Every structure is written in C-alpha cells, then in structure tokens.
Amino acid sequence: MTERVAWHEWIRREEDPARTSERPEALDDLVVLDISQGHYGAFLTGTYLAELGAEVIKVEPPGGDPIRRWGPPDATANGTGLAFVAEARNKYCVTLNLDKRQGRTMLKGLGARADVLIEGFSPGYLDRLGLGYRQLSKINPRLIYVACSTYGQFGPNATAQTGEYDLIDQALSGLIHLTGDPDGPPIRVGSWISAYAQAAWASMAILAALYWRKTSQQGQMIDVSGAEALLRYLEYTVLLYHATNQVRGRMGLYELAVFPYTFVRVKDGYAFIAGYTDLNFQAICRVMGRPELARDPRFNTTLQRTRLENEVLLRDEIEKWSATLTADEILKQVLADPGPGIIVFGPMNAPTKVLQEAHWWERGCFRTVADPLYGELLLQMPAWRMTRTPPRLKWACRPLGYHNEHVYQKYFGLGPGRLAELKSQGVL
Amino acid sequence: MARDYFRWAQALFDPARLHEKPEALHGIRVLDLSVIIFGPATADFLGELGAEVIKVEMPGQGDVTRILGGASFFWKNVSVAFFSQNHSKYHVGIDMHKPEGQGLVRKLAARSDIVIENFKAGCLEEKFGIGYRQLREVNPRLIYVANTGFGQWGPFARGRASYDGLAQAVSGLTAITGLPGEHPTKIGNYIGDWFGACMSAVGALAALHWRDRTGEGQFVEMAQCEGLLRAMDWTWLYAGLTKRDRPRTGNRDPVFSPSGVYRCKDGFVALVAGTDAEFRRLALMLGQPGLARNPRFATRESRRNPENADRMDALVQQWCERRSRSQVEKTARRFGVPAAPVMTGKDHYESRHLRARRSVWEHEDPVYGPMVEYGPAPKLSATPARIKWAGKPVGFHNEFVLKKILGLSDDEIQSLTMAGVVGKWADKVGAKPPDDWKGEGILL
C-alpha cells in the first residue's frame, strides 16, 4: 500500500537533516580505541565509526599525533593542521605514553574494555611492546583488532614496510598507472583517496566481525592494506591481462569500455557528458541537434563508438556543440529532453563552486560550525543517510589530552590528583 | 622477535586454510536488484564477507555491464567488465516490469535481510511498486539500500542520472586532480562507483547492527557524488577558511615534501619523505647527506617552500632516472625511504606478494575455467572473505532460487517462463555461456 505522499516528499521528511539529533545512533553501544599515529586511514576508520555513534577514544602520545600538524602550508585552524581538524570529529582525545610501562598497562586496561582497537604502526611494532593482537586477545577474546599498513601483516613484502603514505598506496594499487594521458606521466588522485578507501574497508570488516561475534562470542584480527584498498577498485584490470594479455593503460579523456563518457569543453570551463548505450547516445545526438551522428557508421554501435579513433572524432563533434554553450545552458537542454534515453551531464566544479550549489546544503552535506577553540569551520558531513539511525557530527575537534579527565575517570576511576601525578611522570 | 611476529601472522591469516573457516555474514541474504557497478559492487562486497546474494536481472540480455567494452574486452562470450562486481551470486532472471515479476521480487524480499538497488530515485516505487514503502510491508526488518548519483531528494535528485565520471566532476575531485592549466584528468577507474559501493556496504552493516539491537529495519542511501565529496580531506575546510580553491599540484602531495612520481629507466616510482627522519635517510640514499643540514631542506616547512621543493624534485628525478623501478624500490627499502613502483595490471598478475595474500585471486570456475581477479581487500583472521565462483549467465540459477527459496514447482516455473516473467539468457553475447559450455555448474 503506497501512502498518499509522494516518495521524494516522504523520504525527504524521513531523512530531514534538521531532525537527525532526535534519532538514535546505530553504533552507540560500541567502544573503539584508535591508537594509530601519523596514519590517516586508521584515523578515518575511527571517524566513520564515531559518525555512526561509537564512542571513539583517540589515544595519542604526549607529543600528539603527528597528523595534528598535517595540512596545507598556507592555512591552519588556530595552528592545527587542516587534515586533522577536518576529520577529528566526535572523538575523545586522550594522551598515553606507550613507551612507559604504566602507559602500556593502562592501554591493556582500555583494551580489555573495548570492542574495537585500530592501529596503523609498522607490523610487529605493537607486538614487540606486548600490545599486539596476540597479547590483547588473551585479555579480551572478544576484541576486534584492526591493523592498517601499506603491504599488510603477512606475505613476502610484509617485513619491509615504511610509513604509510597515500601516494605510495596509489602507486602500488595501479590507479596512478591508469590516470592521465597516454603520452604523459601517471597522475595521482588529488585527495588522500586510498586512506578513505582503507577506512571504508576497515569499517566494513569491523561491522562484519561484530555481526559474527554475536554468535561466536569471538573477536578477531583484521588486516587492511591501503594499497589493496584501492587495488580492489581496479575492476577488470587484472582479469583483462589474464584473459587477453592486454595491459590496461592510461586513456586520458578516452575510455576502453564505454563512449561517450568524457570531459568536454564548455563555454565556461569543462563538463562531463556520457550516454554510451545506443538509446542514450541517440539522446545526446538529439540534444546536440545532430541526429544524423547516431546513424553514422562510425558511431552507430557500442563497438564502433569504443574504437579509439572514433572516440577522438566523436569527442571533437560533441565539443563543436558544447563549447558554444555554458554548462548551465546545456544542463537545461538535457533536463528538458523528453527522452527516450538518458544523458548524464554535469559541470566540472572547482571546490568553491561546489559550495555554491544549493543541493548539497539542502541535503546537509556541508555544515559550518562555530567551534569555541578552532573558530568557524566548514566541514563535510557523514556520507550515509539512514532513516532510523542517521550518522552525525557532534563536535569538530578537540585539543591534545582534552578528554583525559573524563576518559580516565570513567574507565579507571582516576581523579585529578592521580592524573596530575601520571602526567608529571610522563605517562600521559 | 619480529620474525616470530610474521610467522605468527602468516599462520593466523594462512590463505591455504581460508575455506576451512566460517564466514562473517553467513545467514544474511542480500537481494541485488541493481545494475552496472555501484549497486552490484555493494552486494558483491557483502557476498565476499559471506552473505548469500541473489542477483535479479532482466531475462534475455541482463545487466548492461555484460556487454561493455570494445571487441578486445570480450572473453568467453562476456565482457571482462562484468566479473569484478558479480562474484559468488545466484543469478535469477525476473522481468520486474510485469506484475507477476514484481510479486516474485516481493516474495524474495520477504525472505531477505538486505535489498540493494541503484535505480533513479523513486523509480522502483513509482514504476514497479516494489520500493521501500512496499517492501517493508512484507518485511519490517528489511534493510533497504538505495545507491544513486545525487540522492533520493533535493534539487538535483529528480530526473538527473549519474555515472562515476559525473560524480568525479560535480564533487570537485577532478578539479583538485592533475596539473593546473591542463584539461581535466579523468581518474582512470570508476572511483565514484567503487568507493560509493564500499561506503554503502558500511551503511548496510551499521543498519544490520542496529537491527540486531532492536529488530528495526531501515532505509539507507548512498549518493556517489556525496561519497566523493566526503573523501576530499581538507578541501572544504581550506575553502571555508581562505575562500580559495585548493590548487591542483600534480603528483606532489602538498602536505609532504618531497613527494612525487618519478620516471625510472623502465617505468615510474612514487616516493615520499614526509618526516625529517625520512628526509635524512633520503639524503643518505641520494649520496648527499649534507642536504639534511642545508637550511633549504632541513625542516618540513622549508622543504615545502615551492622553490626548494622543485629543487628537491629535480634531485630525486635525476637519481631515479638512472635506475630501474626495482632498483629504486630495493635501495629505498634498505634506507627506509617510502617508495614504490607504479604498478600495472601485469605487475599485479605477477606479484608474489599479492598472490600470497589472495589480493590477486586465482580460482577455477565451472563455466569459465581458470580466472585471475582481484580478491577481497580486508583480511579477517577468523572469518576470511572469499571468492567462491564467478559471475554467471543471465538466469543461470533460476530453478535453484525459485525452488529453494520460493518453493515453486516445475509447472509453476514453466508457466512463469512461458509468460516471460522469468527467463534465462538470450542467444546474445554478454548474456549467454561460453560456446564450449556443456552444462557445467547448473545446480538444479
């Protein structure tokens, strides 16, 4: 039985970003320890879980996580690196010195109580400190222990790790090799995309492990390589080599599998346009006022359209039309087309232009937060919409050790006097 | 001690014993109504972790991904682009345009935990009567996952279709990728589909956790544009504070210096020395230890000065171009400098390391024979993710799904087939089995 109100009205009301705080949180029964240092993928794993409601305790050395200094050279938020401030949300920030015996004892105490522990050290490092999965699983057999690294915890290259960087992971994944013009160098993706992918896989594996824990009562160890996180996104690349001996290379603005599916010049910049099935390609030709192109023997089948020489010719034909119009003008024409067929079109937006689009603000993708310590912050919001348990931003970022009193009082009953003592001993 | 750790880790994760171990999502059934990559990959990832996935396609030609690509893409009657998001699924051909087909989907949804679709917002409800509001009537515990470009509502949501490339463009990710002043750099894989699918699966599992606590299902949505704009680290904060666009910096990571992709004798390597300690080791590796004391390079801040960074880039480039990728990798490893080759599909295929981890996964399929694909990304010690079989022709498991789950008789299946409600592959490339197939792999 369909209710009277239309779907998009109904779902808009159900997902109303303004009412998020009235709803419960999916993961608010979980305690997560993020003990990583200088590791963005591990850091983001904690962020995702914190957005979904988990209590995430970010454990930092007394000098702070090096990520606090990561960001562009020409801007900080009151001295803190923007890469940290952007993603430190909803976490409890505590200090703990794992080089001290007392610090390690306290970490074991937290580990005994946690559902999930996330780390991003060189494989074997925490094991040497007596804080690896081998040791912590004896204290807490239900613990789900996640280790992030470049090459993973096992396999021939596992012993030869260095600090994990997005650029290195992008290179190993093969994504860089596929990006850029065929006669130019390989190009990296501009954001730390491997870290976001690594965190997504880690979160997925954690939640699957939690599901299994309900029946087995057992935790486990999860190993996530940032390189493999992106490698799994490379679709058919390795199968193509296996099946046909072709090594997939860079195609620039062209495509092996589908065309048109490319960027074209428009009057005010560049835009993306696609319509690769026959029906959708006919729609593009119709909107361009060039219906004869759809019948042209060079372009009239998917096989013809994906011949590289035809792709180049076709893209030129599209540009003859697109370059005379602005992206907005073209979008209007595309949306007014009655069909049949679907044209996928949109401008290539610079970030400041993205921020002018009402759509994202209405949907709550961005929020400006007046933070008492860091000032006015423009932040991206959680990516998921959930009607019953919407994820959310609660606070943006807190200074080093800000939650020491709360967390250590809560988990160890330590009062201010004892905390001061631990601090003077260099444990916190 | 360290040796001992790696022996222990190898035994803990031992891929040779992987199939002896249980699966994390065993007992979860996923009904996959989606096409192309974004939806099917979400279902695929849950399937790798142990869920039973039933993929519903139009009888005849099926999912369009089966016929994607130029002539060189076709292998054993199907495009290689079909397989990476369709492992270990049960393939059933149901025409959702027909009321009886919609009835079958409703019955399957009543017996499923998660439904995944990637139609235009509202399409399944308005056109087919099997949207979230209808399906939750037959299954209140249902988790309904909807993947789209722009979301279910909002100014862009109605009437605007999306592909990965569009998400790259409108999210701003393309604008911060590549070199300034050049034409846009299209990211070489379908990153918006894959990352979005990954996040979508996270949302589905968070909803599953909530359902286990309360018994309540819910609607989960993921928009691929929103997924990518979520994955742009400090871009938005920077725009908010400076009112400027984060510049495109090519292969130089603006946070770490030096960093870049450098040409070698036989390809490219990526190299980063983000900390002062790593830089000192790099200086030693380059045979110029004095660089670490030179005020232009001694600190992270001084190295990030564009002139100094350019100078350093040139030095690293000179050093790399006299060496092969593996020489750079080996030497960097010895000195403790983060560096790695830019790998190709062939490199992946031949990598001992990736094979040992089953990140490159060789398996033998009853229909397609030996296959080499990318394996599951996360490694779980107690419940390892796995590939069981490859994607199959349209409707390959019709009898199995319709009998095992819905309890239909042969007569009922036959009359549904006659009416075109259910069906298998047409005699078309993409949909049909390989020419030399002799009935292997059929379940019932």
Side-chain angles (χ1 to χ4, degrees):
Chain A
M1 274 269 296
T2 309
E3 290 161 38
R4 266 190 207 93
V5 46
W7 164 254
H8 65 277
E9 287 299 331
W10 183 82
I11 191 64
R12 175 191 202 114
R13 204 178 61 209
E14 291 294 309
E15 293 182 353
D16 185 359
R19 294 185 50 206
T20 294
S21 60
E22 298 168 21
R23 309 260 157 101
E25 295 177 272
L27 308 184
D28 68 354
D29 58 337
L30 299 179
V31 175
V32 176
L33 299 178
D34 167 15
I35 66 169
S36 67
Q37 295 177 19
H39 196 292
Y40 212 67
F43 175 62
L44 284 169
T45 309
T47 304
Y48 290 163
L49 299 176
E51 289 181 335
L52 289 160
E55 176 183 308
V56 178
I57 302 170
K58 175 153 182 58
V59 178
E60 298 177 71
D65 185 337
I67 300 180
R68 285 185 182 269
R69 297 190 295 275
W70 289 7
D74 58 334
T76 65
N78 280 349
T80 302
L82 297 190
F84 184 83
V85 177
E87 296 288 3
R89 57 193 62 179
N90 298 4
K91 298 180 192 185
Y92 296 89
C93 296
V94 303
T95 53
L96 195 59
N97 189 347
L98 303 182
D99 296 333
K100 299 263 182 193
R101 201 168 52 83
Q102 177 69 14
R104 294 193 288 274
T105 304
M106 286 172 72
L107 187 75
K108 284 181 191 165
L110 289 171
R113 305 278 300 277
D115 297 284
V116 177
L117 180 143
I118 305 160
E119 58 111 326
F121 292 96
S122 192
Y125 173 78
L126 286 175
D127 189 81
R128 280 201 300 284
L129 293 183
L131 300 173
Y133 179 65
R134 249 200 299 201
Q135 297 93 4
L136 293 181
S137 62
K138 293 202 175 77
I139 301 168
N140 178 3
R142 288 168 53 84
L143 182 69
I144 293 162
Y145 180 110
V146 186
C148 298
S149 62
T150 298
Y151 295 98
Q153 305 292 312
F154 67 97
N157 294 346
T159 54
Q161 316 240 5
T162 48
E164 185 157 21
Y165 287 103
D166 170 76
L167 184 62
I168 303 288
D169 288 342
Q170 286 200 29
L172 288 167
S173 77
L175 179 53
I176 290 195
H177 177 72
L178 300 183
T179 303
D181 287 327
D183 51 356
I187 299 286
R188 78 177 176 104
V189 176
S191 76
W192 290 334
I193 193 71
S194 75
Y196 283 89
Q198 188 175 29
W201 286 117
S203 303
M204 194 194 306
I206 288 165
L207 292 170
L210 275 165
Y211 182 76
W212 187 69
R213 192 180 77 167
K214 282 175 196 132
T215 47
S216 68
Q217 301 301 324
Q218 283 175 48
Q220 58 182 307
M221 182 166 173
I222 295 166
D223 166 16
V224 190
S225 141
E228 291 168 356
L230 277 183
L231 180 88
R232 180 63 183 88
Y233 295 173
L234 249 64
E235 52 248 356
Y236 51 79
T237 308
V238 80
L239 179 60
L240 184 72
Y241 181 73
H242 167 76
T244 71
N245 263 336
Q246 295 173 77
V247 182
R248 189 179 176 190
R250 291 186 280 291
M251 298 289 289
L253 296 173
Y254 302 98
E255 274 280 325
L256 279 178
V258 289
F259 209 78
Y261 190 103
T262 187
F263 286 98
V264 289
R265 204 182 298 275
V266 292
K267 216 176 181 178
D268 53 347
Y270 279 93
F272 177 82
I273 189 163
Y276 53 78
T277 62
D278 291 341
L279 198 64
N280 296 345
F281 177 60
Q282 287 154 17
I284 290 183
C285 297
R286 184 169 60 235
V287 168
M288 285 165 60
R290 300 282 307 279
E292 80 284 1
L293 279 181
R295 295 185 298 270
D296 189 311
R298 294 168 303 176
F299 310 130
N300 64 353
T301 66
T302 52
L303 282 182
Q304 283 299 322
R305 285 193 296 279
T306 49
R307 293 169 69 105
L308 187 56
E309 65 272 24
N310 293 347
E311 289 192 8
V312 174
L313 293 172
L314 185 50
R315 190 174 165 277
D316 289 346
E317 291 296 336
I318 297 173
E319 274 199 338
K320 282 183 201 163
W321 162 75
S322 65
T324 65
L325 299 164
T326 66
D328 278 347
E329 287 164 350
I330 294 175
L331 183 60
K332 272 198 198 90
Q333 291 186 17
V334 162
L335 292 177
D337 181 70
I342 295 164
I343 302 164
V344 170
F345 177 87
M348 185 189 106
N349 282 336
T352 48
K353 179 79 197 308
V354 175
L355 290 169
Q356 289 163 22
E357 306 255 39
H359 181 78
W360 314 120
W361 289 95
E362 264 184 51
R363 285 177 57 80
C365 297
F366 297 110
R367 230 175 89 192
T368 303
V369 182
D371 187 273
L373 298 170
Y374 296 93
E376 191 174 282
L377 306 173
L378 171 55
L379 298 170
Q380 62 267 46
M381 290 297 97
W384 313 272
R385 323 268 146 180
M386 301 170 75
T387 51
R388 189 68 190 117
T389 57
R392 66 202 66 177
L393 173 86
K394 295 181 231 177
W395 60 86
C397 174
R398 284 297 169 261
L400 181 64
Y402 188 85
H403 295 108
N404 277 358
E405 284 171 24
H406 170 71
V407 168
Y408 293 127
Q409 188 94 49
K410 180 176 173 183
Y411 286 96
F412 299 122
L414 297 176
R418 185 76 183 107
L419 278 184
E421 219 172 282
L422 286 169
K423 192 153 178 71
S424 70
Q425 291 162 359
V427 175
L428 301 183
Chain B
M1 193 78 177
R3 257 217 145 73
D4 171 49
Y5 172 80
F6 288 108
R7 262 202 305 274
W8 168 83
Q10 177 66 39
L12 184 71
F13 289 98
D14 187 6
R17 292 188 44 219
L18 187 146
H19 289 284
E20 297 167 21
K21 296 181 181 177
E23 295 176 85
L25 300 183
H26 180 77
I28 294 295
R29 179 175 293 143
V30 175
L31 185 60
D32 172 11
L33 305 178
S34 62
V35 291
I36 315 185
I37 297 176
F38 189 14
T42 303
D44 190 69
F45 298 157
L46 298 173
E48 286 183 339
L49 289 161
E52 177 190 293
V53 182
I54 298 166
K55 180 178 174 81
V56 177
E57 293 174 84
M58 264 299 277
Q61 188 68 78
D63 187 334
V64 67
T65 321
R66 295 173 175 277
I67 51 161
L68 287 192
S72 68
F73 259 49
F74 283 84
W75 178 68
K76 303 194 181 192
N77 281 341
V78 62
S79 163
V80 293
F82 178 66
F83 293 100
S84 51
Q85 62 283 0
N86 290 297
H87 301 103
S88 316
K89 297 182 182 180
Y90 294 96
H91 293 261
V92 58
I94 299 176
D95 186 348
M96 298 197 298
H97 299 81
K98 295 195 159 71
E100 302 94 319
Q102 294 153 12
L104 290 175
V105 170
R106 264 193 290 273
K107 284 183 186 155
L108 287 170
R111 300 277 305 276
S112 297
D113 300 281
I114 298 171
V115 165
I116 296 169
E117 57 110 325
N118 63 344
F119 290 83
K120 274 202 214 173
C123 174
L124 277 192
E125 173 172 309
E126 289 154 11
K127 270 176 76 177
F128 302 112
I130 47 174
Y132 175 58
R133 288 192 288 184
Q134 288 92 8
L135 296 186
R136 71 173 182 160
E137 300 260 322
V138 296
N139 181 358
R141 287 168 55 85
L142 187 67
I143 293 160
Y144 184 109
V145 180
N147 293 347
T148 56
F150 294 96
Q152 298 290 318
W153 54 273
F156 292 160
R158 290 187 71 77
R160 265 190 97 174
S162 172
Y163 288 131
D164 162 77
L166 184 76
Q168 291 185 24
V170 302
S171 66
L173 186 56
T174 308
I176 65 165
T177 295
L179 284 160
E182 311 229 333
H183 68 70
T185 301
K186 191 152 63 64
I187 296 163
N189 72 338
Y190 304 119
I191 187 75
D193 285 332
W194 291 104
F195 179 68
C198 219
M199 291 295 273
S200 187
V202 173
L205 291 177
L208 188 65
H209 185 77
W210 178 254
R211 192 184 78 167
D212 278 337
R213 296 171 67 192
T214 62
E216 295 173 346
Q218 61 180 310
F219 181 87
V220 178
E221 72 151 301
M222 185 71 214
Q224 63 181 176
C225 300
E226 295 176 353
L228 289 185
L229 61 81
R230 179 69 188 78
M232 287 165 64
D233 45 68
W234 46 271
T235 304
W236 312 112
L237 192 47
Y238 182 83
L241 287 168
T242 66
K243 314 296 173 209
R244 286 199 306 272
D245 285 315
R246 164 185 184 162
R248 285 191 226 173
T249 57
N251 283 324
R252 182 179 293 166
D253 187 322
V255 175
F256 306 112
S257 187
S259 61
V261 172
Y262 305 94
R263 193 183 291 276
C264 305
K265 281 201 279 195
D266 58 348
F268 293 88
V269 293
L271 185 147
V272 185
T275 66
D276 292 348
E278 283 164 352
F279 184 73
R280 284 193 294 274
R281 299 199 289 266
L282 173 67
L284 280 175
M285 183 176 96
L286 297 178
Q288 304 186 48
L291 288 174
R293 292 185 300 274
N294 182 331
R296 288 173 67 189
F297 307 116
T299 68
R300 190 171 159 268
E301 288 318 313
S302 62
R303 286 194 300 279
R304 288 208 290 180
N305 170 301
E307 264 174 46
N308 299 345
D310 287 347
R311 175 75 193 125
M312 202 60 231
D313 252 3
L315 289 173
V316 176
Q317 179 55 65
Q318 278 167 23
W319 189 85
C320 288
E321 66 199 16
R322 295 196 302 269
R323 289 165 174 80
S324 67
R325 291 190 307 169
S326 73
Q327 281 172 321
V328 172
E329 189 184 16
K330 280 194 193 107
T331 310
R333 194 169 284 178
R334 205 169 72 238
F335 281 88
V337 174
V342 172
M343 292 180 88
T344 67
K346 181 172 184 285
D347 295 329
H348 292 155
Y349 189 82
E350 291 167 352
S351 164
R352 265 189 344 116
H353 180 70
L354 293 173
R355 294 252 181 173
R357 289 174 58 74
R358 300 277 174 105
S359 295
V360 169
W361 185 295
E362 186 162 354
H363 62 114
E364 192 183 359
D365 184 81
V367 174
Y368 295 98
M371 295 187 76
V372 177
E373 301 187 79
Y374 293 119
K379 315 296 177 191
L380 288 77
S381 65
T383 59
R386 64 201 69 172
I387 292 175
K388 295 171 203 164
W389 59 80
K392 293 285 178 291
V394 178
F396 194 82
H397 300 111
N398 273 2
E399 288 80 6
F400 180 77
V401 171
L402 297 172
K403 287 184 184 185
K404 177 183 179 280
I405 301 172
L406 299 185
L408 299 187
S409 67
D410 286 320
D411 285 352
E412 286 169 308
I413 293 172
Q414 207 195 341
S415 65
L416 286 168
T417 307
M418 298 292 284
V421 176
V422 304
K424 301 194 179 187
W425 59 86
D427 184 22
K428 285 180 175 170
V429 166
K432 66 180 178 180
D435 290 336
D436 59 356
W437 180 69
K438 295 186 187 67
E440 295 91 340
I442 287 283
L443 295 178
L444 280 176

